[in-house]
Amino acid sequence: MLQVKTANDKIWQVDIQKDAILLNETPFNWDITPIGTNTYHIIHNYKSYTAELVQADYQAKAFTFKINGVTHTLTVKDQFDLLLDKLGMSNANAQKVNDVKAPMPGLILEIKVQPGQEVKKGDPIMILEAMKMENILKSPGDGIVKEIKVAVKQNVEKNQVLILF
């Protein structure tokens, strides 16, 4: 069971079964054919649609489609997300990010934030060199940088606190 929600808060329950797809407990019959990379031709109720997957954020389970030239953004929750919501443990209620730790030993090449700076989830905050590769460390959530615990050219160990939020 999946729950699909549009940007204007319309919600559908999608149940994908072995031989059918149910949309709000009603069979959904369609014919879909790929016509290019991330582009599909769909026929539903004798109407033709061209659908293109424009953007996919698999971590956030958010997808942007262009259907017959009109852009639609959808978010999807699977059975586990719905259970977490029911138990009051959804991502929206997840604990705030308090710090960022080094994922591996390495050398700090660059610090991209300053104390007091506001960051959003996914913003680059630091570059860590490890095994001759530059790794861009990104903010795991939204927050304000409280303190930077390391300096450029400093060696760090795995799980060492780098930034406090």
Side-chain angles (χ1 to χ4, degrees), residues 89-112:
M89 298 167 48
S90 67
N91 282 343
N93 296 328
Q95 75 271 12
K96 290 182 109 179
V97 176
N98 294 325
D99 58 31
V100 173
K101 296 180 180 175
M104 62 193 84
L107 176 71
I108 303 298
L109 292 182
E110 185 179 347
I111 299 171
K112 296 186 165 281

Side-chain angles (χ1 to χ4, degrees), residues 84-150:
L84 289 172
D85 284 350
K86 187 175 179 180
L87 296 172
M89 298 167 48
S90 67
N91 282 343
N93 296 328
Q95 75 271 12
K96 290 182 109 179
V97 176
N98 294 325
D99 58 31
V100 173
K101 296 180 180 175
M104 62 193 84
L107 176 71
I108 303 298
L109 292 182
E110 185 179 347
I111 299 171
K112 296 186 165 281
V113 294
Q114 300 172 353
Q117 183 176 339
E118 184 175 339
V119 294
K120 299 286 184 197
K121 181 177 181 178
D123 286 352
I125 55 175
M126 192 172 290
I127 298 179
L128 174 72
E129 182 184 81
M131 297 181 287
K132 298 183 182 180
M133 291 181 60
E134 291 184 7
N135 301 282
I136 299 173
L137 303 183
K138 296 181 179 180
S139 177
D142 297 350
I144 296 175
V145 177
K146 180 178 177 184
E147 185 180 353
I148 299 172
K149 305 289 269 178
V150 293

Side-chain angles (χ1 to χ4, degrees), residues 5-89:
K5 184 176 181 182
T6 65
N8 61 357
D9 292 333
K10 186 167 183 176
I11 297 175
W12 291 285
Q13 301 298 328
V14 180
D15 189 8
I16 301 172
Q17 299 178 345
K18 184 178 181 180
D19 56 349
I21 295 175
L22 300 179
L23 185 63
N24 293 335
E25 299 180 2
T26 303
F28 183 80
N29 297 315
W30 63 335
D31 182 24
I32 183 168
T33 304
I35 57 175
T37 304
N38 294 330
T39 307
Y40 303 88
H41 181 253
I42 301 169
I43 298 175
H44 175 66
N45 288 340
Y46 305 105
K47 292 183 183 175
S48 177
Y49 303 91
T50 300
E52 176 187 1
L53 177 61
V54 177
Q55 184 177 10
D57 182 348
Y58 293 100
Q59 187 173 2
K61 297 179 184 174
F63 304 90
T64 302
F65 292 92
K66 190 179 281 188
I67 301 174
N68 288 349
V70 179
T71 302
H72 301 276
T73 300
L74 308 172
T75 56
V76 179
K77 291 186 178 184
D78 61 19
Q79 62 193 20
F80 303 109
D81 297 322
L82 294 171
L83 179 61
L84 289 172
D85 284 350
K86 187 175 179 180
L87 296 172
M89 298 167 48

